[in-house]
């Protein structure tokens, strides 16, 4: 008798021990997803009529939703419910004071300059994903806006090749979320799902995964360890790195002084202009103003690990 043969269960390579928690996080965030997808569809109706100032306001708003979506992380909650239940747009003004490094203007300048210079060529943005569930929906909404506003012509998403770090996004999660949004019993949510599925089919959106993202190396080793991935990222006009673990790997997970420049901490990892969108959940942070970190240590000793503060930190790569 072959005890290893079991036709009733899927192959172990398809098993995700975190899948149930990811599904729960997505389903518990339904109301927030409805609010966000409805907001996007309303804005897309007249997006071609928006002047540059209004377009910038909408971009900043959706960039911040993607930023704060990073709070929905099962690794920080110990696997407990950490879904997005409130209106993700309502608290943005209140949360703004908790953004310790705000380089949104620099990102906007980069994208609008690319649009002016390369109006007839490709503008590619890469998003290195973090959490499945609500956060990846927020990333999709941002990506949809970037394409619809012509700030980008291609979006390349990078996920994990295996289930990793509790709620990290795999290809199964990526496709599952799109299908769930598409089949939702809500007009605007379903319309978003239809649009996102279409973008995947026509190549406007592309999904990649690579073994390097689950290796222990800091990103400054990528060119040596995974030269194919580094070469792929060099094709980008802007790389958005989501989340805390990506930040730790960007900076080598070292105990830097708070004022060390981000460019220096990247340790020659400069494939393309890049930006970290991160809520702080670990004790590494660079690029702060003199005294900023020390003041926070006095007023809120655990500021680096509680997910209350965030950064939008840009490096131009030159």
């Amino acid at each position: 008798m072959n005890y290893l043969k079991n036709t009733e269960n899927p192959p172990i390579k398809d098993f995700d021990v975190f899948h149930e928690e990811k599904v729960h996080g997505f389903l518990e965030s339904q109301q927030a997803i409805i609010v966000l997808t409805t907001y996007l569809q309303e804005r897309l109706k007249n997006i071609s009529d928006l002047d540059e100032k209004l377009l910038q306001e909408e971009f900043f708003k959706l960039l911040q939703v993607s930023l704060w979506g990073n709070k929905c992380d099962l690794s920080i909650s110990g696997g407990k419910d950490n879904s997005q239940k409130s209106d993700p747009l309502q608290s943005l003004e209140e949360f703004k004071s908790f953004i310790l490094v705000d380089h949104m203007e620099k990102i906007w300048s980069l994208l609008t300059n690319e649009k002016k210079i390369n109006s007839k060529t490709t503008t590619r943005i890469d998003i290195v994903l973090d959490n499945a569930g609500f956060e990846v929906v927020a990333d999709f909404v941002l990506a949809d806006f970037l394409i619809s506003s012509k700030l980008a012509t291609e979006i390349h998403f990078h996920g994990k090749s295996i289930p990793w770090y509790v709620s990290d996004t795999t290809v199964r999660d990526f496709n599952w979320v799109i299908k769930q949004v598409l089949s939702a019993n809500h007009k605007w949510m379903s319309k978003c799902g239809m649009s996102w599925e279409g973008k995947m089919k026509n190549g406007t959106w592309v999904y990649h995964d690579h073994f390097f993202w689950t290796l222990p190396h800091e990103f400054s080793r990528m060119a040596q360890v995974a030269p194919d991935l580094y070469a792929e990222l060099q094709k980008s006009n802007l790389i958005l790195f989501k989340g805390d673990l990506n930040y730790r790997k960007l900076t080598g997970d070292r105990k830097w002084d708070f004022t060390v420049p981000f460019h220096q901490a990247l340790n020659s990892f400069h494939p393309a202009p890049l930006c970290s969108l991160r809520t702080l959940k670990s004790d590494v942070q660079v690029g702060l103003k003199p005294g900023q970190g020390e003041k926070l240590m006095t007023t809120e000793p655990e500021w680096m690990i509680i997910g209350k503060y965030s950064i939008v930190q840009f490096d131009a790569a030159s």
Side-chain angles (χ1 to χ4, degrees):
M1 182 181 289
N2 184 356
Y3 290 101
L4 296 177
K5 188 175 180 181
N6 189 336
T7 55
E8 293 179 9
N9 294 322
I12 193 71
K13 71 180 178 63
D14 295 329
F15 180 67
D16 183 351
V17 68
F18 309 121
H19 181 65
E20 190 175 323
E21 287 88 350
K22 292 175 183 177
V23 170
H24 177 78
F26 175 86
L27 296 177
E28 287 296 304
S29 301
Q30 286 296 287
Q31 196 53 47
I33 292 170
I34 287 170
V35 168
L36 190 54
T37 51
T38 301
Y39 181 86
L40 175 68
Q41 289 300 324
E42 291 292 342
R43 292 303 171 275
L44 295 188
K45 286 177 185 177
N46 65 342
I47 194 165
S48 58
D49 300 328
L50 296 182
D51 61 27
E52 189 163 314
K53 187 174 185 300
L54 288 172
L55 198 66
Q56 182 192 57
E57 285 176 10
E58 294 300 334
F59 170 65
F60 285 177
K61 198 175 284 188
L62 295 178
L63 190 68
Q64 288 174 81
V65 172
S66 175
L67 167 67
W68 291 112
N70 185 238
K71 286 167 75 76
C72 299
D73 186 339
L74 289 166
S75 69
I76 195 174
S77 65
K80 295 177 183 173
D81 183 14
N82 204 15
S83 54
Q84 176 74 34
K85 293 188 172 71
S86 59
D87 182 337
L89 295 151
Q90 212 169 35
S91 307
L92 293 183
E93 203 56 44
E94 176 194 336
F95 284 170
K96 213 161 186 191
S97 62
F98 300 120
I99 303 177
L100 303 178
V101 180
D102 182 356
H103 290 163
M104 286 189 282
E105 291 276 1
K106 292 183 179 181
I107 301 167
W108 174 256
S109 294
L110 174 79
L111 294 177
T112 51
N113 287 338
E114 287 289 344
K115 189 177 177 180
K116 287 167 189 170
I117 296 165
N118 300 322
S119 58
K120 294 182 180 175
T121 58
T122 299
T123 299
R124 167 173 165 168
I125 296 177
D126 287 58
I127 303 177
V128 182
L129 299 167
D130 191 13
N131 299 299
F134 176 79
E135 182 176 356
V136 82
V137 173
D139 297 337
F140 288 164
V141 167
L142 174 63
D144 196 341
F145 178 83
L146 288 166
I147 295 291
S148 300
S149 63
K150 299 185 169 55
L151 289 167
T153 55
E154 289 178 13
I155 306 289
H156 290 246
F157 298 93
H158 300 263
K160 302 297 193 297
S161 54
I162 57 173
W164 192 253
Y165 220 65
V166 190
S167 46
D168 281 9
T169 305
T170 64
V171 66
R172 179 186 179 187
D173 303 321
F174 187 95
N175 291 330
W176 183 87
V177 167
I178 291 177
K179 285 193 175 81
Q180 289 298 308
V181 175
L182 174 61
S183 60
N185 187 24
H186 185 276
K187 179 182 177 182
W188 298 126
M189 194 170 161
S190 180
K191 188 169 182 181
C192 280
M194 197 179 304
S195 170
W196 300 344
E197 184 181 63
K199 286 175 172 58
M200 289 298 295
K201 285 179 178 175
N202 67 25
T204 306
W205 286 8
V206 182
Y207 179 88
H208 308 254
D209 53 32
H210 196 285
F211 71 94
F212 180 84
W213 301 119
T214 54
L215 294 181
H217 303 291
E218 59 191 83
F219 291 166
S220 62
R221 296 276 298 133
M222 186 188 291
Q224 290 75 43
V225 175
D228 57 330
L229 177 58
Y230 193 83
E232 185 64 38
L233 293 179
Q234 285 181 307
K235 299 173 187 175
S236 187
N237 296 96
L238 173 67
I239 311 167
L240 300 176
F241 284 92
K242 296 297 307 289
D244 202 68
L245 183 58
N246 280 325
Y247 191 79
R248 288 165 59 189
K249 290 189 171 187
L250 282 167
T251 58
D253 211 6
R254 292 175 174 83
K255 193 75 173 175
W256 298 100
D257 289 340
F258 296 134
T259 54
V260 166
F262 187 38
H263 187 84
Q264 179 184 332
L266 289 170
N267 194 21
S268 301
F269 179 71
H270 306 298
L274 62 86
C275 179
S276 170
L277 298 177
R278 169 214 186 198
T279 57
L280 277 64
K281 302 160 196 164
S282 63
D283 57 352
V284 56
Q285 182 58 56
V286 298
L288 298 185
K289 295 170 186 171
Q292 191 179 9
E294 290 76 9
K295 183 179 178 183
L296 283 162
M297 290 297 281
T298 304
T299 58
E300 199 158 8
E302 295 193 327
W303 66 278
M304 301 180 80
I305 60 171
I306 55 177
K308 175 180 176 179
Y309 294 92
S310 69
I311 55 166
V312 181
Q313 195 161 36
F314 175 75
D315 180 72
S318 55

